[in-house]
């Protein structure tokens, strides 16, 4: 028999291999049976090569998606996420320090002033779908850096506001959207860097919110007393620009691809992901009645696919666990952020010094700093494996009941007890909020699932603080 020569694109040497049947394969090389087609995948042993003329599937030349590092550079990403959460999620709470100052400056009512932190917090959560689009097209690193730039510009511009309406635009919409672009991708990339240690990583990252709660109110109080609210907003704009630095270290976890062979078989597989989307769109279009198979029908099908991809409406309809999670978290957010905004104004209205009221927020932050990692370690124990949802639900129940402590008295000691109870339950909620969602949906659908949840909860976050003012005014009347 004549030898049959094959070449490996990676190898440079050639080796002759005799043509024989599979049962006659020897340990020196890989033999090619006559009955098999040239495109079959073969196991390459030492010294065996393949010819360039033979068509091989693209998967042979494309490295598989690497598993999560579960450490290494991932801990740098955790540190960056901690700083981002400290500067974004915790930032609306420190606006309560400026509440009275803004009310006097613009001669605004309680309701009008409360819209500033409400809009900022709502936009911070509502920008999820657009944030998912930017993450898919440009990656987490670019999106986080863009968010840091927008939030810094928004706060700097708000220092020049002359009306409360201008403050809604600059501090509310621009800064809130910038914080959204920094916050959500930092959570998303955590799921790519960690799998086995994900509960611990999420708990450590969530301490960023606690770090911000413990430091930003004290810093805001110091800046307000020395610089005024305008100078404070300008300085906070510069501080928020540090999100760009944190985003720069969030390098993506991407597969390294080998050089692809340019042939017909390979070209059919290149762009596989895009073709799947096209096939799905075509199927949806073919399923439409004949009288709507025109531009309107195609646009409707494309819009439906877009909603499924970035807002997970299909997941919300099919997955009951995700449905309950989304509705429950949305309802929880109606009152969850209210204490963070109104704790300081509530205490000062009853005669407490503003420095002591700001100290209560700082204590709340310090409790979260120590409790969130502990909550992550406790929930990560094998006893709670697969039971995160029960721990999370119990923490939400305790958090809601803790608000009843405020009605006893507005003294420092009573509010301190309230802060401790609220802080411990808040620690478990913060450390498990995203972990429960990651366990509820596939990690590939996590960005779109998070986008829909943030859209839903932004509605209750927006109306929560003004609704609190309305209820308090109605109770007085």
């Amino acid at each position: 028999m004549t030898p049959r020569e094959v070449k490996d694109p990676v190898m440079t040497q050639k080796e002759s291999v005799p043509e024989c049947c599979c049962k006659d394969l020897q340990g020196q090389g890989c033999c090619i049976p006559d009955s098999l087609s040239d495109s079959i995948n073969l196991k390459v042993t030492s010294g065996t090569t393949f010819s360039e003329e033979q068509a091989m599937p693209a998967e042979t030349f494309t490295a598989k998606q690497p598993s999560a590092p579960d450490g290494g550079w991932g801990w740098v990403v955790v540190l960056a996420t901690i700083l981002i959460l400290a500067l974004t999620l915790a930032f609306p709470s420190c606006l309560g320090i400026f509440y009275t100052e803004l009310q006097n400056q613009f001669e605004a009512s309680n309701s009008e002033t409360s819209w500033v932190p409400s809009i900022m917090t709502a936009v911070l959560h509502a920008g999820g779908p657009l944030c998912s689009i930017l993450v898919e097209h440009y990656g987490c690193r670019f999106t986080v850096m863009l968010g840091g730039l927008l939030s810094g510009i928004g706060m700097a511009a708000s220092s020049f506001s002359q009306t409360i309406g201008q403050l809604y635009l600059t501090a509310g919409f621009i800064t809130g959207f910038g914080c959204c672009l920094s916050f959500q991708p930092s959570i998303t990339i955590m799921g790519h860097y960690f799998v086995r240690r994900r509960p611990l990583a999420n708990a450590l990252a969530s301490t960023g919110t606690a770090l911000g709660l413990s430091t930003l109110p004290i810093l805001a109080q110091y800046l307000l007393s020395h610089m005024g609210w305008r100078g404070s907003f300008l300085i906070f704009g510069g501080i928020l620009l540090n999100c760009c630095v944190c985003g720069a270290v969030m390098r993506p976890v991407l597969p390294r691809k080998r050089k692809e062979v340019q042939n017909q078989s390979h070209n059919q597989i290149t762009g596989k992901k895009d073709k799947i989307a096209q096939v799905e769109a075509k199927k949806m279009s073919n399923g439409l009645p004949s009288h709507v198979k025109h531009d309107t029908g195609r646009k409707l099908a494309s819009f439906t696919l877009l909603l499924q991809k970035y807002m997970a409406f299909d997941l919300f309809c099919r997955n009951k666990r995700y449905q309950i999670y989304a509705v429950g978290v949305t309802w929880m957010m109606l009152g969850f952020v209210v204490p963070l905004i109104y704790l300081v104004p509530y205490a000062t209205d009853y005669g407490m010094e503003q420095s002591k009221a700001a100290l209560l927020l700082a204590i709340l932050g310090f409790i979260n700093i120590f409790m969130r990692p502990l909550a992550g370690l406790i929930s990560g124990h094998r006893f709670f494996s697969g039971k995160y949802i029960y721990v999370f639900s119990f923490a939400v129940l305790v958090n809601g009941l803790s608000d009843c402590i405020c009605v006893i008295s507005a003294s420092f000691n009573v509010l301190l007890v309230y802060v401790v109870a609220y802080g411990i339950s808040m620690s478990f909620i913060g450390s498990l909020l995203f972990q429960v969602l990651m366990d509820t949906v596939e990690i590939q659908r996590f960005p779109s699932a998070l986008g829909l949840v943030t859209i839903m909860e932004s509605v209750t976050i927006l109306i929560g603080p003004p609704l609190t003012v309305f209820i308090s005014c109605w109770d007085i009347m």
Side-chain angles (χ1 to χ4, degrees):
M1 291 186 176
T2 59
R4 184 175 175 185
E5 185 176 284
V6 288
K7 185 191 299 181
D8 187 353
V10 180
M11 302 293 184
T12 56
Q13 297 179 351
K14 296 181 180 180
E15 184 174 333
S16 298
V17 182
E19 204 172 60
C20 58
C21 299
C22 285
K23 62 182 179 179
D24 297 327
L25 290 176
Q26 303 297 328
Q28 296 179 352
C30 179
C31 302
I32 307 175
D34 293 332
S35 60
L36 297 181
S37 64
D38 291 334
S39 62
I40 191 170
N41 289 330
L42 299 176
K43 181 179 179 181
V44 183
T45 58
S46 176
T48 304
T49 55
F50 292 89
S51 65
E52 293 178 349
E53 292 77 16
Q54 290 177 329
M56 295 190 66
E59 290 84 354
T60 305
F61 298 93
T62 304
K64 293 183 179 180
Q65 188 72 248
S67 59
D70 267 317
W73 190 258
W75 298 118
V76 180
V77 176
V78 170
L79 179 60
T81 304
I82 290 174
L83 296 177
I84 287 176
L85 295 187
L87 295 175
T88 56
L89 282 185
F91 185 71
S93 63
C94 78
L95 292 182
I97 304 296
F98 305 99
Y99 191 90
T100 305
E101 195 73 18
L102 295 176
Q103 193 173 8
N104 295 333
Q105 173 70 37
F106 298 111
E107 298 179 354
S109 63
N110 284 330
S111 178
E112 290 173 339
T113 310
S114 66
W115 283 106
V116 178
S118 297
I119 293 174
M120 179 185 292
T121 310
V123 174
L124 192 154
H125 291 80
L130 181 57
C131 183
S132 299
I133 296 175
L134 291 175
V135 168
E136 178 169 339
H137 286 81
Y138 301 105
C140 292
R141 174 187 287 177
F142 172 84
T143 307
V144 171
M145 296 177 70
L146 177 62
L149 183 62
L150 284 177
S151 58
I153 292 175
M155 282 307 297
S158 65
S159 64
F160 300 98
S161 299
Q162 300 299 321
T163 62
I164 193 71
Q166 293 176 0
L167 208 59
Y168 293 161
L169 175 63
T170 54
F173 286 100
I174 299 178
T175 303
F177 184 62
C179 290
C180 171
L181 295 185
S182 295
F183 146 64
Q184 294 195 22
S186 64
I187 297 298
T188 300
I189 201 170
M190 293 280 291
H192 295 282
Y193 270 94
F194 293 93
V195 173
R196 183 171 57 88
R197 298 176 178 174
R198 187 178 294 166
L200 177 60
N202 282 333
L204 291 175
S206 66
T207 59
T209 306
L211 182 64
L213 286 174
S214 60
T215 56
L216 291 182
I218 298 177
L219 178 61
Q221 178 62 38
Y222 175 81
L223 292 176
L224 179 62
S225 60
H226 289 77
M227 306 289 295
W229 74 269
R230 294 187 184 274
S232 301
F233 279 18
L234 186 61
I235 293 175
F236 272 121
I239 293 175
L240 288 173
L241 289 175
N242 287 282
C243 291
C244 299
V245 181
C246 296
V249 305
M250 293 183 175
R251 62 191 187 193
V253 183
L254 294 176
R256 295 182 179 179
K257 296 183 179 181
R258 298 181 184 178
K259 185 177 180 180
E260 298 175 347
V261 179
Q262 302 296 327
N263 52 43
Q264 181 179 2
S265 175
H266 188 191
N267 290 336
Q268 290 177 353
I269 303 177
T270 304
K272 184 178 180 180
K273 186 176 180 180
D274 294 336
K275 290 185 178 180
I276 290 176
Q278 294 176 3
V279 170
E280 291 179 355
K282 186 177 180 181
K283 287 181 180 180
M284 293 191 70
S285 178
N286 291 337
L288 294 173
S290 57
H291 63 278
V292 296
K293 289 183 178 180
H294 300 294
D295 291 341
T296 304
R298 287 194 296 269
K299 290 180 180 179
L300 180 61
S302 300
F303 180 71
T304 305
L305 285 176
L306 191 66
L307 290 180
Q308 291 181 0
K309 189 173 185 180
Y310 296 111
M311 295 187 66
F313 275 115
D314 59 325
L315 198 63
F316 183 80
C317 297
R318 296 197 316 263
N319 192 330
K320 292 295 182 182
R321 292 185 61 193
Y322 175 64
Q323 195 175 81
I324 295 173
Y325 173 88
V327 174
V329 170
T330 300
W331 183 255
M332 178 191 73
M333 287 297 176
L334 182 64
F336 185 73
V337 300
V338 170
L340 302 177
I341 298 174
Y342 285 121
L343 180 60
V344 174
Y346 174 75
T348 54
D349 284 347
Y350 281 89
M352 187 181 296
E353 296 179 2
Q354 192 165 18
S355 58
K356 279 190 173 182
L359 182 61
L360 288 173
L361 272 183
I363 293 173
L364 177 63
F366 280 117
I367 292 174
N368 277 261
I369 288 177
F370 295 104
M371 284 302 302
R372 291 203 182 200
L374 182 61
L377 290 175
I378 294 175
S379 59
H381 193 272
R382 62 189 178 191
F383 177 77
F384 295 102
S385 179
K387 302 176 183 177
Y388 300 131
I389 184 64
Y390 301 108
V391 181
F392 177 75
S393 301
F394 181 74
V396 173
L397 177 63
V398 174
N399 186 267
L401 293 176
S402 67
D403 291 330
C404 299
I405 301 175
C406 292
V407 302
I408 299 176
S409 173
S411 64
F412 182 82
N413 292 332
V414 173
L415 291 181
L416 181 61
V417 174
Y418 164 68
V419 164
V420 172
Y422 182 86
I424 293 175
S425 58
M426 180 185 180
S427 300
F428 278 88
I429 293 174
S431 62
L432 292 176
L433 182 64
F434 302 113
Q435 178 63 38
V436 172
L437 180 57
M438 288 179 182
D439 291 345
T440 304
V441 301
E442 298 178 354
I443 191 61
Q444 292 82 2
R445 300 300 305 275
F446 177 77
S448 58
L450 180 61
L452 179 59
V453 171
T454 53
I455 278 286
M456 294 174 62
E457 69 185 14
S458 65
V459 178
T460 51
I461 289 174
L462 180 65
I463 66 177
L467 182 62
T468 303
V469 174
F470 174 78
I471 294 175
S472 62
C473 294
W474 179 77
D475 185 56
I476 293 174
M477 292 187 297

